[in-house]
Amino acid sequence: MKIIADTHAHTLASGHAYSTIREMAAAAKKRGLKALALTEHAPEMPGTCGLFYFQNLDVVPREADGVRLLMGAELNIMDPDGTVDLPEKTCRDLDIVVASIHPPCYGLDHTPEENTRAYVEVMKKPYVNIIGHPDDGRFPFDYETIVRTAKETGTLLEINNSSMRPQSSRKGTRENILTMLELCRQYEVPVTTGSDAHVDVDAGNFTNVREMLDYCNFPEELVITTDWDRLKEFLGIR
């Protein structure tokens, strides 16, 4: 299975990432990618960039080193009502929008029912393309509900390479990803692949992702990042 796009990565602008746009693009090129999404953390994440950063992204060329750049954001899901931290108009002007739960913004004290509701409400927002790292056992939720909602709303669920690093703070990720993949196969829900790279050497690194996809013999036709034309159509870009 050849993965040609990374739909979740960060640059220096996110505050706790360490490489520039050009460094990330060069690394993606070395890994043979056609496209790289740079999805900086939205404003409520401590240390990241502000609103105007996202409103000014039209100045950034959409190609570097022959790699198509998708300039976007990783929204923070703020509460069980699915509140996010960028205005809808700003999100609609981006190439790609990921929404994720992070402890500094969402907290660690919500119930599985509240976590499930948070994801469902976010997926109802038509400008959200992807749910980022829905694999962290610190935020348990009902996987069947989330997979079925993803199918209904046309939202992609992410297989996150960084989540499966041995040093990751996320809990139970491999088991949770396997559960999600089996449900995605059952309901024919496509997934996307994100390195969640915070430094250039990890851009397009899908070592753990490929291992999981191979382990469960996941259908290639349900991995949207194996087909650039299909991904472009999904995102509505040229």
Side-chain angles (χ1 to χ4, degrees):
M1 185 183 300
K2 182 172 176 55
I3 297 172
I4 51 80
D6 183 346
T7 57
H8 182 172
H10 300 272
T11 74
L12 286 166
S14 280
H16 58 277
Y18 306 98
S19 302
T20 66
I21 291 175
R22 291 199 174 277
E23 288 168 341
M24 295 293 284
K29 181 180 181 179
K30 286 182 180 179
R31 291 189 184 271
L33 295 188
K34 290 186 178 180
L36 173 67
L38 297 174
T39 50
E40 310 302 352
H41 287 289
E44 289 299 321
M45 177 65 75
T48 193
C49 42
L51 172 62
F52 190 61
Y53 174 90
F54 299 98
Q55 294 176 331
N56 196 45
L57 284 175
D58 60 331
V59 305
V60 180
R62 291 311 198 259
E63 185 173 308
D65 274 339
V67 175
R68 178 67 157 88
L69 297 180
L70 305 172
M71 303 304 295
E74 183 180 12
L75 304 178
N76 294 293
I77 301 173
M78 302 300 296
D79 55 43
D81 293 326
T83 305
V84 293
D85 54 342
L86 280 178
E88 178 175 347
K89 183 183 184 307
T90 302
C91 292
R92 289 186 179 276
D93 289 339
L94 300 175
D95 299 330
I96 188 168
V97 176
V98 181
S100 308
I101 288 178
H102 297 105
C105 303
Y106 183 79
L108 290 164
D109 57 350
H110 294 293
T111 66
E113 293 76 18
E114 289 174 323
N115 298 335
T116 301
R117 178 159 60 91
Y119 280 129
V120 168
E121 292 304 314
V122 165
M123 284 191 280
K124 291 178 181 177
K125 302 180 190 299
Y127 52 86
V128 172
N129 306 121
I130 296 166
I131 296 298
H133 46 79
D135 53 36
D136 190 345
R138 295 177 298 175
F139 309 101
F141 59 89
D142 184 335
Y143 271 96
E144 184 161 9
T145 296
I146 296 313
V147 170
R148 292 177 66 176
T149 303
K151 187 177 183 70
E152 292 167 4
T153 59
T155 310
L156 296 173
L157 300 174
E158 178 189 75
I159 311 303
N160 186 292
N161 196 77
S162 181
S163 290
M164 293 178 276
R165 295 180 304 132
Q167 62 269 45
S168 174
S169 60
R170 299 168 193 157
K171 305 300 183 184
T173 55
R174 289 180 179 269
E175 295 82 0
N176 290 334
I177 289 169
L178 282 175
T179 296
M180 185 172 72
L181 286 173
E182 288 304 322
L183 286 165
C184 286
R185 184 208 306 274
Q186 177 183 340
Y187 288 102
E188 298 184 327
V189 173
V191 300
T192 188
T193 54
S195 67
D196 202 358
H198 284 63
V199 68
D200 58 352
V201 295
D202 281 331
N205 179 6
F206 295 125
T207 303
N208 298 319
V209 169
R210 287 193 180 92
E211 178 186 332
M212 295 299 281
L213 293 173
D214 290 345
Y215 178 80
C216 63
N217 195 27
F218 195 74
E220 182 172 341
E221 62 268 22
L222 290 180
V223 182
I224 199 168
T225 43
T226 61
D227 186 331
W228 175 225
D229 289 334
R230 187 177 172 207
L231 180 59
K232 285 194 297 182
E233 181 180 4
F234 172 80
L235 294 173
I237 61 175
R238 296 178 180 178

